[in-house]
Amino acid sequence: FFFLMIRRPPRSTHCISAAASDVYKSQEYKELPIANENFLDAILAPVFFVTISRFQDLQTSIILTGILIMFTFLYRILRKEPLRNSLIGVGGASIALLIAQIQGTASGFFLPGIIRDLSVALIGFISILLGRPFTIYTSKSIRGWPLDWFLHKNVKPAYREVATIWVIFLSIKGLLQLYFFSSPEILAIIKLATSNQTTIALLVLTYIYGQRKLIKLGGPSVEEFKNKVPPPWSGQKSGF
């Protein structure tokens, strides 16, 4: 659902690099969890924890990783990064360590992420079955476009298909982690391969796909819908 946070559309050439630039510059993107989760949060802590756990007992690994997390927190504060971002990073990693402590295995560190991915995938799947793709409501909450426009027969399929792509991605990611749950090393590799950079790449691609799908469907633009313009419509050429 993150693709819906893009404020501006790609340029007329639909260049992927231009779309990526729009993602990074948008205010909505900056407020996303993936934007707040930088290298230190997404990669360094889990890789460090898994590596240390191969040579030390679980308790020692948790303590050393906790120390690393505090140092990275102080580092982000000294760099004058937003306090909210720093707290999100240290909070997420601390919860992961707590669950690893409770479960008694290094794999427990990855459990919060697995639960999150599969929960979002399940919610997305149910929303598609109900004919109300969750992507519609995410976009509406940001852009304020009329709900009836999203539900138009020549508009909704675009949001349904993009929602399906994200449900498949998150399902595969979550199920792979469940399958390899007994191997924290493989879980770390999956975490690395599906970090925020991968998510951004998929976000850009689905955004472009959604825009092109809207054009192909030939539905009304938001303004045409509001003004009750009869067909044929020029279509929604900017934003998704």
Side-chain angles (χ1 to χ4, degrees), residues 126-186:
I126 293 174
S127 73
I128 292 171
L129 287 181
L130 294 176
R132 297 293 181 103
F134 70 103
T135 47
I136 286 178
Y137 297 94
T138 309
S139 182
K140 183 182 185 306
S141 68
I142 296 167
R143 301 186 180 279
W145 294 340
L147 178 60
D148 287 342
W149 177 81
F150 287 103
L151 298 176
H152 191 281
K153 65 178 181 178
N154 290 340
V155 173
K156 186 170 75 170
Y159 288 90
R160 181 178 63 239
E161 290 183 18
V162 174
T164 301
I165 293 172
W166 279 98
V167 167
I168 292 173
F169 170 73
L170 293 172
S171 297
I172 292 175
K173 179 184 175 183
L175 291 174
L176 275 176
Q177 291 178 95
L178 280 181
Y179 183 80
F180 293 107
F181 191 72
S182 60
S183 176
E185 293 84 3
I186 296 180

